[in-house]
Amino acid sequence: MHHAPPRGRNWFTAGVLAAVILATTACGGVISATRQPTSDAVPGGSAGSTAGYAKAADLLAALPVKGRAPKTGYDREEFGPAWSDTDHNGCDTRNDILARDLKRTTFKPGTKDCIVLTGSLADPYTATTIAFTRGNKTSSAVQIDHVVALSDAWQKGAQGLSKAQRTAFANDPLNLLAVSGPANQQKSDGDAATWLPGSRAYRCPYVARQISVKAKYKLWVTQAERTAMATVLAQCGGTVAGSK
């Protein structure tokens, strides 16, 4: 076991997380991440940026509002094999996200700094620090959350995506965070109308990230979800057009 910075990961530059680059279409309806985001990235600006949250509000205003489609046919396999190496860097997505979000990481020898053995997580959902140790009885303390849950996505447009697009969605770093295992279990497949992080300080970045993901993959929101998102964004400088 040894301490070393991960090498060959396309979102690291000189050991520092690269900033997310988000581009919108002329109508502001679709964004694409050309570099991998940090854990608190928001569209159009840095975390805590009023301009960033205003951009998130604009993106939310452009998202379609519909009811949930039936969950019929949903299966995890519809989103491809769990934790695929979609960026072909030699490491599976789970270990990529652990390496991105944890500090003071150690790696299993002989894996080219791929398999994370230990680390420390500043959990965004609970505002606590969690020690991670790889093992059958310990790994679950830190889990990788799909910020927009796969089941939620399935019911809000992902059924119409191709298998390749759904696989990309399930492994997209923009949609993934290392978080508290219990908090992730509590969230389950909830959307912003049914679950928000316990840490109020992280609710704006969390909602902005959900909006970014839904815009990127052309998913929709329910009316209750839109209202909940708009309420959160209004508290951090983002006002959604047409909100009551």
Side-chain angles (χ1 to χ4, degrees), residues 152-194:
D152 180 67
W154 181 259
Q155 296 174 77
K156 297 173 184 175
Q159 293 184 40
L161 299 178
S162 68
K163 185 69 171 287
Q165 288 172 320
R166 290 195 295 268
T167 299
F169 173 89
N171 292 276
D172 190 336
L174 181 64
N175 193 33
L176 297 171
L177 285 176
V179 300
S180 156
N184 188 40
Q185 294 299 311
Q186 181 187 57
K187 173 189 173 181
S188 187
D189 62 354
D191 60 20
T194 60

Side-chain angles (χ1 to χ4, degrees), residues 116-151:
V116 178
L117 291 181
T118 63
S120 177
L121 174 69
D123 176 43
Y125 288 177
T126 63
T128 61
T129 299
I130 302 171
F132 171 79
T133 301
R134 184 182 181 87
N136 292 334
K137 296 182 179 180
T138 55
S139 289
S140 61
V142 173
Q143 298 178 9
I144 307 303
D145 179 38
H146 285 97
V147 178
V148 174
L150 303 186
S151 173

